Amino acid sequence: ARGIQHTAVRQVHRKHEPNFHDKYGTMVLLGGAAMFSAVWGYVFTQLNIAWGFSPVGRITPSEWRE
């Protein structure tokens, strides 16, 4: 049991080499957030969408013409 404990302690104190997430994780996260904001910013400002307006109760049917 002591040998396993010593091995576990040795592995914990081993030098950690950076992987892809350590090197680029923050930049990928920020890039994704910027892209998300840019796309939704375009949608909210450039597309002429009437947000939250319901036609219920405003549109009355016209008489049928024969």
Side-chain angles (χ1 to χ4, degrees):
R2 286 277 186 200
I4 295 172
Q5 287 177 343
H6 287 294
T7 304
V9 168
R10 227 180 293 127
Q11 288 178 352
V12 167
H13 293 293
R14 191 175 53 176
K15 286 282 187 185
H16 175 70
E17 58 186 41
N19 59 15
F20 177 83
H21 297 289
D22 294 331
K23 290 180 183 178
Y24 307 110
T26 305
M27 292 308 295
V28 170
L29 180 67
L30 293 175
M35 191 66 162
F36 178 87
S37 300
V39 168
W40 280 108
Y42 174 79
V43 168
F44 285 134
T45 58
Q46 299 299 316
L47 297 180
N48 293 325
I49 299 174
W51 297 98
F53 295 114
S54 174
V56 175
R58 296 182 184 186
I59 299 173
T60 56
S62 58
E63 293 295 323
W64 182 260
R65 296 182 198 159
E66 292 192 31

